Amino acid sequence: MILIRRVLFFAAGFITSYILFILFLGLFYPVKLQTKYSPIVLARDSSLIGAYLTDDDKWRMYTELQEITPELKKAILFKEDKYFYIHFGINPVSVIRASFNNIRTGRRTSGASTITMQVARLLEPKERTYRNKIIEIFRAFQLELKFTKDEIFQMYLNLVPYGSNIEGVKSASVIYFGKMPDHLSLAEIAALSIIPNRPVSLQPGKNNELIMAERNKWLLRYQHSSLFDSSYVTDALEEKLNAYRRQIPISAPHISLRLKNQYPDRKIVRSTINPLIQAKASRIVKNYINTMYFQNIKNATVLIVDNHTREVLAYIGSADFDNNEDGGQVDGIVSVRSPGSTLKPYLYGIAFDKGIITPKTIITDVPVSFSGYEPENYDDKFYGNITVENALSMSLNVPAVKIMAKLGSSKFVNKLIDAGFQQIKKDKEHLGLSVSLGGCGVTNEELTTLFSAFANSGIYKKLKYIITDSSDTEKRILTESSAYMITEILTGLQRPDLPLQWANSSHMPKIAWKTGTSYGRRDAWSIGYNKDYTIGVWVGNFSGEGVPELNGSEKAAPLVFRLFNAIDYNSESNWFEMPDELNIRYVCQESGKVPGEYCTELVMDYYLPGISDNTKCNHLKKVYVNPDSTISYCMSCRPALGYVEALYPNPAPEIITFYNENNIHYRKIPPHNPDCERLMSGKPPVITSPVHENTYYVNVADSMEVMLSCHTSPDVEKVYWYIDKKFYRSAKAGEEIFFLPGEGKVEISCSDDKGRNTDIFIFVEHVGF
């Protein structure tokens, strides 16, 4: 008993001393784990959508612990190291047996390397000598002390060579069998277990018959040892070997490359991409652009977002990644382009929240100048009085600029910055009213994020690209009521941007959508959404080349509709519900304002209580006229008898000018009593040209002149122009005249025939002497 205790005490002391010795040496010669793995990107279902070579041009994909199936572990351990979970890095029995055989034969006939020793050798490859074998054993002890058995086994599976530039079970599984290691069959596992020992002679695709023969030998050994169920092995023996070197699947190349660069230290990036939706969208986009290639329209980008989670489900950065000629590798999702009219819904939504407009508000769509900026509509037409909802659904430019002018261009730009538009943030100091028409730079990613906020009651969140993204920061950019009104307007089908081929289609998806076309027809946009998804589409050329046929309604919107039908056809999803804080009221059809005393034609309109404008309608005014309606009177000159009260339209001066210039008939107030001596009150003329405080460069040699024009009230027939307080000439209301100004500061005055006056001044510099 005493002897046994002494032996045990000696053994414990020896083991303790040995461990301390190994730990001490480890301080000076630590294990170096500097293995670089191939960055891989997975879809949300863990399927591979992108992979990249290591810096040393190896396919070395990281195998995770949960990917190591019991069958894989049992098969590898049975072949390579049956006592792996028992020994402490080396197997003394194997070492003694191998040493005896090698000495007896005078050459190396068998090895004694455990899996731990193989990992040590793979981590620090060296020439096979006895000295290096001792170092290998030392490293094996170090690994056993530092890592668990499962971790060491995982290292082995990640480093084991499979010939050429393929290392690790996952790389071999993906390249030779086109599947992840946790989806391998027993026959495939057996085949992979034998290749590392003979990677040259057992090359899948070249030596498959030999691999099958060797595989079946080991399968029979499994069966003989009862390692697996006999029927399981029998099925594996009958399985054909479909192994060859495959191309690495890259089904979402743009997002894979983006995530790989964004997370350079991650071996595996788990994306939010839905592989089925990604595959459908990629196929649809490629085929769609192929049909337009002859029109010189060569590219498109698509982003599909889950509105409930803000996760990106599909990311198409170009129509064809492999098309080098047309920039297939360019990630168009993040390319800065002109948005066309796609920002208008956000502008109108902000104006709703500020109480500036409601959907039925009447706004004038007529020629107008904002300090020299004169916007025009896409079709070069003007529509006069029009409701806000029709102005948005028709994507008219002049009403949008007017609304932005009322709101303030800087306020709208700041709201866009709040909504994540980075190029607009950079260009903030140089942006003006043209932003509402596309005079700025945006990306598909930013626009799709904005429209996803519309689908989420006006709440903005950044899009999520990886499953582990737990960021949940949100901000309200529109009220729920405003977002709802925008959605209702964008859902309407009676609009000019409805593609012709979809106008009578029974397969038209129920979505809210907006189109946009940039200046020069370089960019065609369509962003659509419902409760479940937001889809952002851009169509055009990465070169920036414009195409006459390119526009949002005919080239981008059809693609949005096809994509919705592909991923959400006949969806039973509930539509958006009207918020409790949004109310409905009757307004005058002629103005969109609260009905006044003379309003008879009323329509229902949404409004925000306490916010929306409550100004009463004055589209009609009461006028005193003589019985035959040839003379009007004021209270001062109205006769005691011989007059009647009549209602006349009360249009804004700019709409009167529009009517006169386009020969549009309207009921005019009769000329005022010529015998009246009272100075009339009312709106003075609005000088539209020249622009107040602007500088004009006049070429004297060419006798260049400056135009004088103004808008007047409906009761005005004649106006009188004054230059530097001196009478210049008279003109009819709405008539354009010209003059040659002197140099320097020039004062210009305009008086109407009712005695009302407006003054402005301009600066003039003479050139061309």
Side-chain angles (χ1 to χ4, degrees):
M1 182 65 70
I2 295 175
L3 179 62
I4 293 175
R5 287 180 179 177
R6 287 180 178 178
V7 171
L8 291 174
F9 180 79
F10 176 78
F14 175 78
I15 292 172
T16 302
S17 300
Y18 178 77
I19 292 173
L20 291 175
F21 176 70
I22 295 296
L23 292 174
F24 176 75
L25 285 181
L27 296 175
F28 300 96
Y29 305 100
V31 177
K32 297 178 181 179
L33 297 178
Q34 298 177 335
T35 306
K36 295 293 184 180
Y37 291 95
S38 298
I40 64 174
V41 181
L42 304 179
R44 63 190 309 111
D45 66 350
S46 295
S47 60
L48 186 66
I49 60 173
Y52 302 89
L53 288 166
T54 62
D55 293 339
D56 56 349
D57 292 330
K58 300 285 188 182
W59 286 117
R60 190 186 299 119
M61 301 180 193
Y62 185 74
T63 305
E64 297 179 284
L65 286 173
Q66 64 266 25
E67 293 179 302
I68 304 173
T69 62
E71 293 81 4
L72 178 62
K73 178 180 286 189
K74 288 166 66 175
I76 296 295
L77 291 180
F78 182 80
K79 181 179 181 301
E80 293 293 332
D81 194 349
K82 295 179 182 178
Y83 305 102
F84 175 70
Y85 280 93
I86 299 174
H87 63 65
F88 48 90
I90 64 171
N91 186 337
V93 176
S94 296
V95 171
I96 294 171
R97 185 193 70 244
S99 299
F100 176 77
N101 289 336
N102 293 342
I103 293 172
R104 181 174 58 83
T105 61
R107 60 188 179 87
R108 186 177 182 275
T109 59
S110 63
S113 293
T114 62
I115 282 180
T116 311
M117 293 170 66
Q118 292 184 61
V119 170
R121 183 170 65 249
L122 292 169
L123 287 172
E124 297 178 3
K126 291 182 175 66
E127 184 182 354
R128 292 196 175 189
T129 64
Y130 288 110
R131 177 179 177 276
N132 288 338
K133 179 62 72 173
I134 294 173
I135 296 175
E136 187 179 299
I137 293 172
F138 166 68
R139 291 299 190 198
F141 286 141
Q142 281 186 302
L143 290 170
E144 291 282 341
L145 290 174
K146 188 171 183 179
F147 300 100
T148 66
K149 285 290 187 178
D150 285 345
E151 289 172 335
I152 294 171
F153 185 67
Q154 181 186 20
M155 289 183 200
Y156 172 78
L157 294 183
N158 282 325
L159 297 172
V160 60
Y162 280 91
S164 185
N165 65 337
I166 302 171
E167 295 183 4
V169 166
K170 179 182 280 190
S171 299
S173 176
V174 169
I175 293 173
Y176 291 141
F177 294 107
K179 59 181 71 174
M180 291 298 197
D182 53 349
H183 288 74
L184 291 170
S185 67
L186 180 59
E188 291 165 340
I189 290 172
L192 287 183
S193 70
I194 62 174
I195 294 174
N197 299 113
R198 298 165 58 188
V200 177
S201 60
L202 299 178
Q203 291 187 42
K206 294 183 178 180
N207 311 104
N208 281 9
E209 291 186 4
L210 180 59
I211 294 174
M212 282 188 65
E214 293 297 317
R215 178 201 73 180
N216 290 346
K217 287 180 183 179
W218 279 98
L219 286 172
L220 291 172
R221 290 175 185 175
Y222 298 161
Q223 191 175 47
H224 180 74
S225 302
S226 299
L227 188 66
F228 299 104
D229 184 86
S230 181
S231 62
Y232 193 16
V233 176
T234 300
D235 290 341
L237 287 167
E238 295 177 357
E239 184 177 317
K240 292 184 178 181
L241 183 65
N242 184 26
Y244 59 90
R245 181 152 189 159
R246 293 166 166 83
Q247 290 290 327
I248 296 291
I250 304 181
S251 57
H254 294 95
I255 185 60
S256 296
L257 190 59
R258 173 174 173 172
L259 293 178
K260 174 235 180 187
N261 293 332
Q262 189 172 346
Y263 302 99
D265 298 327
R266 295 194 185 185
K267 307 178 191 74
I268 299 174
V269 181
R270 301 182 183 278
S271 76
T272 59
I273 296 297
N274 181 313
L276 295 179
I277 293 178
Q278 175 74 24
K280 281 184 180 180
S282 297
R283 184 170 59 254
I284 290 171
V285 171
K286 186 174 182 179
N287 292 338
Y288 185 77
I289 290 300
N290 284 342
T291 65
M292 292 193 293
Y293 207 81
F294 72 95
Q295 299 179 45
N296 200 33
I297 300 173
K298 300 179 179 179
N299 247 309
T301 69
V302 170
L303 198 63
I304 302 179
V305 175
D306 182 331
N307 286 332
H308 303 288
T309 62
R310 310 297 177 99
E311 294 177 341
V312 173
L313 304 180
Y315 189 110
I316 318 296
S318 69
D320 184 359
F321 186 82
D322 296 323
N323 182 349
N324 295 322
E325 183 179 348
D326 299 310
Q329 286 80 49
V330 173
D331 186 355
I333 295 293
V334 295
S335 297
V336 177
R337 317 291 304 191
S338 167
S341 297
T342 54
L343 296 178
K344 288 176 183 174
Y346 190 32
L347 170 65
Y348 280 66
I350 297 168
F352 287 151
D353 284 336
K354 295 294 183 182
I356 297 173
I357 55 173
T358 61
K360 296 295 184 183
T361 297
I362 297 295
I363 191 167
T364 57
D365 177 37
V366 298
V368 65
S369 176
F370 296 92
S371 299
Y373 175 52
E374 300 179 357
E376 296 180 347
N377 291 321
Y378 180 78
D379 58 3
D380 295 325
K381 297 179 182 178
F382 294 96
Y383 294 86
N385 284 333
I386 191 168
T387 62
V388 161
E389 62 184 0
N390 284 339
L392 177 55
S393 66
M394 294 174 67
S395 198
L396 299 180
N397 291 337
V398 174
V401 176
K402 284 187 172 182
I403 291 171
M404 186 169 175
K406 285 185 180 180
L407 177 67
S409 58
S410 61
K411 289 183 180 178
F412 183 51
V413 168
N414 287 332
K415 290 288 285 185
L416 288 168
I417 294 171
D418 287 342
F421 288 86
Q422 294 304 309
Q423 190 62 41
I424 290 177
K425 183 177 181 180
K426 294 177 182 177
D427 299 336
K428 176 181 177 180
E429 302 302 324
H430 310 291
L431 299 177
L433 294 174
S434 63
V435 167
S436 60
L437 310 184
C440 56
V442 304
T443 66
N444 192 339
E445 179 179 39
E446 293 168 343
L447 278 179
T448 306
T449 306
L450 175 66
F451 278 71
S452 182
F454 298 163
N456 281 277
S457 303
I459 295 176
Y460 170 89
K461 285 184 182 179
K462 288 185 176 181
L463 301 183
K464 295 181 179 181
Y465 292 96
I466 59 172
I467 293 294
T468 55
D469 186 351
S470 58
S471 60
D472 225 16
T473 304
E474 62 181 46
K475 67 175 77 171
R476 180 168 289 284
I477 61 173
L478 290 176
T479 64
E480 186 177 1
S481 297
S482 178
Y484 178 80
M485 288 187 281
I486 289 299
T487 298
E488 286 295 284
I489 294 172
L490 297 183
T491 307
L493 296 178
Q494 303 302 317
R495 45 198 281 189
D497 61 346
L498 177 63
L500 294 176
Q501 67 267 39
W502 291 84
N504 299 308
S505 173
S506 60
H507 300 296
M508 177 72 187
K510 185 176 183 181
I511 61 172
W513 88 96
K514 181 72 183 76
T515 61
T517 307
S518 69
Y519 179 78
R521 296 178 182 259
R522 295 180 176 90
D523 309 278
W525 295 92
S526 186
I527 321 293
Y529 62 93
N530 60 15
K531 287 282 284 187
D532 295 325
Y533 303 102
T534 296
I535 300 180
V537 165
W538 171 89
V539 176
N541 295 307
F542 288 153
S543 64
E545 180 182 357
V547 179
E549 295 80 14
L550 187 65
N551 62 74
S553 62
E554 293 300 327
K555 301 306 179 186
L559 183 52
V560 166
F561 299 153
R562 290 188 189 186
L563 290 166
F564 266 106
N565 279 343
I567 69 172
D568 203 32
Y569 184 65
N570 281 344
S571 172
E572 298 297 327
S573 174
N574 293 326
W575 194 245
F576 302 90
E577 296 182 358
M578 178 177 166
D580 293 336
E581 62 269 21
L582 183 63
N583 282 358
I584 296 176
R585 67 184 179 186
Y586 281 103
V587 296
C588 177
Q589 180 175 289
E590 299 297 327
S591 66
K593 296 181 179 180
V594 175
E597 182 180 358
Y598 309 120
C599 298
T600 57
E601 300 294 330
L602 306 181
V603 293
M604 288 191 297
D605 188 20
Y606 294 115
Y607 80 105
L608 294 170
I611 297 176
S612 298
D613 184 24
N614 284 320
T615 303
K616 285 197 172 184
C617 175
N618 63 347
H619 82 282
L620 292 175
K621 64 185 297 186
K622 184 169 65 175
V623 179
Y624 301 113
V625 298
N626 62 357
D628 58 0
S629 299
T630 56
I631 295 176
S632 62
Y633 304 106
C634 64
M635 292 297 292
S636 298
C637 67
R638 183 186 69 184
L641 297 171
Y643 72 90
V644 295
E645 293 182 358
L647 295 177
Y648 282 86
N650 186 31
E654 59 184 20
I655 201 72
I656 293 173
T657 302
F658 175 72
Y659 287 160
N660 291 335
E661 289 178 348
N662 291 275
N663 298 316
I664 299 174
H665 175 75
Y666 69 100
R667 192 180 179 207
K668 298 180 181 180
I669 297 174
H672 191 67
N673 180 10
D675 298 327
C676 180
E677 298 179 354
R678 181 174 178 268
L679 183 66
M680 298 294 291
S681 62
K683 296 178 180 178
V686 177
I687 298 176
T688 57
S689 176
V691 178
H692 181 51
E693 295 185 342
N694 269 18
T695 299
Y696 289 81
Y697 298 91
V698 176
N699 191 323
V700 180
D702 291 340
S703 299
M704 183 184 294
E705 295 183 316
V706 175
M707 183 176 73
L708 299 173
S709 65
C710 67
H711 294 321
T712 61
S713 296
D715 56 350
V716 174
E717 293 186 348
K718 185 175 289 189
V719 295
Y720 306 89
W721 292 96
Y722 296 82
I723 308 298
D724 289 332
K725 301 187 184 302
K726 294 180 180 179
F727 177 71
Y728 176 61
R729 58 166 289 187
S730 62
K732 294 179 181 180
E735 181 184 356
E736 297 173 352
I737 63 174
F738 296 85
F739 81 107
L740 181 64
E743 196 166 18
K745 184 177 180 181
V746 178
E747 183 178 348
I748 300 171
S749 302
C750 182
S751 299
D752 62 24
D753 54 13
K754 302 300 182 289
R756 297 168 296 210
N757 182 77
T758 299
D759 299 321
I760 67 166
F761 64 85
I762 61 173
F763 299 96
V764 177
E765 291 186 20
H766 287 174
V767 296
F769 293 105

